[in-house]
Each structure stands twice: as C-alpha cells, then as structure tokens.
Amino acid sequence: MKNLTALLPIDRPIVQAPMFGVTTPAMVAAAASTGALGSLAIADLSPQKSIEQIRATRQLTNKPFAVNLFVHQVPEKTDELRKQYTHTKSYIEDIAAKNGLTVRLPELDTLQITPYQEQIDALISEQCKIVSFTFGIPDPQSIQKLKANHTLLIGTCTSVAEAIALEQQGIDIICVQGIEAGGHRGSFIGLPQIGGISLLPQVYESVKTPLIYAGGIYNKNNMQAALALGAQAVQIGSLLIASKESALLPFEKERLKTVKENEVVLTNTFSGRFARGINNAFIQSLASTDYILPYPYQNKLTAELRRIARAHQNSEFVNIWIGQSIQSFSTDSTAAIINRL
Ligand SMILES: Cc1cc2nc3c(=O)[nH]c(=O)nc-3n(C[C@H](O)[C@H](O)[C@H](O)COP(=O)(O)O)c2cc1C
C-alpha cells in the first residue's frame, strides 16, 4: 500500500472535509496552513462558479488543495418525473406557506443542471491537481483526462463493494465514509449503512489503495482508532462547521449548541439523496411521503426554499448537516481546531 504522505502535500494525517454550503475559500486556506489537506467543495456548481471558487481560494493560499465535486447521473425528465415535480413543488410551497414562508419554487425546465464532465474540464483548465468526488465514479473517459493531466483522484466509498469498484477504476486514494458522517452519503451501489468501525477494517483488508477515514472524528482518541484500523488520515467535517471560516449563519451555529443525539437523522427530503443532519419540520413533513424527487431535482427544487428560510433565520426549513459525534462545535478558527486535534 502506498504511503499517503508521499501522494498528498500533507504534514499531518488530517483532511478538512469538503462541505458544500459550509466550506469557504478561507476555511480551505486555513486548513492548508496547518499542514492538513484543505478541500474546496464545488458540488454541482456551474464551471464558471467552480472556477471563481478555485481562484478565490488561490488568492488566500499557495498550498495545493483538493477540489471536490458530485459525480452524479442526471435522470431523464420523463412524463412521470414532470408530474411528480409539479406535485412536489406545490406540496412544498404549501407547507412553506403554512409556516409563514412565501416561496415560489422554480419550474422544472428552468433548473440549471451541470453535468459533472463540464466541471472536470474546468478543473483541468485551472490545473487542479487533486480532485475528490462523491456519489459515484467518473466515467472512464473523464478519469483518463484527469490522469493525463497528472491529477490525483480521491473517491468516496460507503461499502467494501464501492471501495473495490473505485480501486478497479484506478482511483488513487479512497475516502471510507462511515454511517456516522455528517452530510451526504457517498453511496453509489445500493444504500449501505455501515458503521465506520465495521467498514474501515473490512475495506483495509479488501483493497491496496491508501485510505482516508471520514465519519464521527472529533478527538484524538477516535482519530487514533481510525488510524489503527487502516486509515492513513482522517477527514473531519462536523468538527469544523461552526468554525470562524464556516459559511453557516449565526442562527445555524446557535442551533448546533442545543442539538440532541436523537435529533440527528438521515434524510433524503432536501436533495433526493440521503444525508445526515438535524431533524426539523421540513424533514418531518416530507419523510415517508411521495414528495421526494430523485437527485438533483429535489435538491434544485428545495434550494429556493432553503435560501428564503435562511434569510428568515428559520432553522425548521434549512438543511443543517451534522454527523453523529455531537461535541462542542467550536467557533474557533479552522486552524486552531485542527491544531488542537
Ligand atoms: C455540512 C456538510 C457538508 C458536506 N458536504 C460534502 C461535500 O460537498 N462533498 C463531500 O464529498 N462530502 C461532503 N460532506 C461529507 C464529508 O466529506 C465527511 O464525509 C463527513 O463530514 C465526515 O463526518 P463528520 O461530519 O462526522 O466529520 C459534508 C459533510 C457536512 C457535515
């Protein structure tokens, strides 16, 4: 197995998790300044917006950092999908109105959906040399293009089968995501729900690719446990969500202070893909209903609702992603939190 420090520009076994909506260029630069790997999240932003984020980060650091994107297949707009979209749109507008939020959600044909291949072309044109991804494996042609550009590839798995699939496609590093993790599940073969302490050693025994572990890391002891189970680094997300550089608004950071362990749930109501976060009125209104479209449609549909809810500081209608390790959610700088770990 290759040594991770020989592949990545890191002095310590820590990766700042890419967290779309939370990670800022300042967070990435701060993480990089500590000798950890910073990761910029571009999710499914347009190529132009992706480039803006990359350049903004480069203004703040001259260290290399990873750029992270969502590798997803866009389902066709069938008649069935169109019908379901209309129903879901009016259902969500209705529950929002009942809760004092006036929103007009977008029509299906106005949604801006970016195929990830366009982002990959932008990353290559910007000479990004570390690319991490979640939700799947880029198609062989994209992998070939990235490799021809000497890009290091970090894929996400949530099962042994996914780890093997990533290795077979020549992915350089695998991020093993335990069920504890905050934010979206990276799953792309079924919906595995495997705890990190089971998954990580099994993946370690099944592949030769160097591993990063993500999910629930919040202190030195559980970080060392992950390193003992086969990871060469840990990826930390929730530990940084209230940090000085986080894009969360003050009311969202405030909500973190009172979160209870039984309020942390997996839900597909916001985006159509399962993600872990704080339970609220929106999740409860949609859970177990038919008003959940496949990703990315649900995600695009609810984006406007989330924007308005944020403007109204309404934590019942925004997605606040966190993992299972509830801790003090420090508001210190990203660098201070990483240095403490
Ligand atoms: C707010 C938030 C947003 C996230 N967004 C992304 C993302 O854009 N891309 C990604 O690969 N993972 C994303 N994740 C998952 C993280 O990469 C990582 O797996 C997770 O944070 C690890 O678990 P922890 O939160 O318990 O540390 C996100 C996690 C959080 C908490």
Side-chain angles (χ1 to χ4, degrees), residues 241-242 248-264 277-280 313 315-316 320 322-323 325-331:
I241 54 180
L248 285 191
L249 296 178
F251 83 93
E252 293 169 309
K253 291 186 180 177
E254 204 52 37
R255 178 66 185 94
L256 297 173
K257 290 188 188 156
T258 57
V259 64
K260 308 268 183 323
E261 55 193 354
N262 62 2
E263 291 178 314
V264 179
I278 303 180
N279 203 0
N280 61 17
Q313 304 188 22
S315 60
E316 294 301 317
I320 304 181
I322 66 167
S325 292
I326 295 176
Q327 23 83 33
S328 59
F329 297 106
S330 168
T331 53

Side-chain angles (χ1 to χ4, degrees), residues 145-295:
K145 268 194 207 173
L146 287 159
K147 293 220 160 187
N149 190 47
H150 307 290
T151 312
L152 194 77
L153 300 178
I154 308 177
T156 307
C157 81
T158 61
S159 66
V160 172
E162 290 171 357
I164 292 171
L166 288 162
E167 181 167 271
Q168 282 171 349
Q169 294 305 314
I171 302 310
D172 302 292
I173 297 170
I174 298 174
C175 177
V176 179
Q177 190 186 39
I179 192 71
E180 301 89 334
H184 276 106
R185 312 275 316 129
S187 308
F188 57 95
I189 304 179
L191 289 172
Q193 301 203 4
I194 310 171
I197 208 159
S198 297
L199 180 60
L200 176 58
Q202 291 185 64
V203 172
Y204 181 69
E205 284 172 10
S206 311
V207 298
K208 295 195 171 64
T209 308
L211 306 178
I212 296 169
Y213 174 73
I217 300 300
Y218 76 104
N219 68 14
K220 185 176 147 199
N221 287 346
N222 79 347
M223 175 172 108
Q224 285 179 342
L227 299 177
L229 291 174
Q232 293 191 45
V234 293
Q235 178 159 308
I236 51 166
S238 299
L239 201 56
L240 299 172
I241 54 180
S243 68
K244 195 175 103 203
E245 295 84 358
S246 156
L248 285 191
L249 296 178
F251 83 93
E252 293 169 309
K253 291 186 180 177
E254 204 52 37
R255 178 66 185 94
L256 297 173
K257 290 188 188 156
T258 57
V259 64
K260 308 268 183 323
E261 55 193 354
N262 62 2
E263 291 178 314
V264 179
V265 295
L266 270 183
T267 182
N268 60 352
T269 53
F270 276 110
S271 74
R273 283 193 62 104
F274 280 94
R276 185 177 296 290
I278 303 180
N279 203 0
N280 61 17
F282 177 80
I283 294 173
Q284 283 163 25
S285 313
L286 266 78
S288 331
T289 68
D290 292 335
Y291 302 112
I292 302 172
L293 300 157
Y295 184 92

Side-chain angles (χ1 to χ4, degrees), residues 17-20 22 41 68 70 134 177 181-183 214-216 235-238 321 323:
M19 295 184 282
F20 188 66
V22 171
N68 174 272
F70 292 169
T134 187
Q177 190 186 39
Q235 178 159 308
I236 51 166
S238 299
W321 299 144

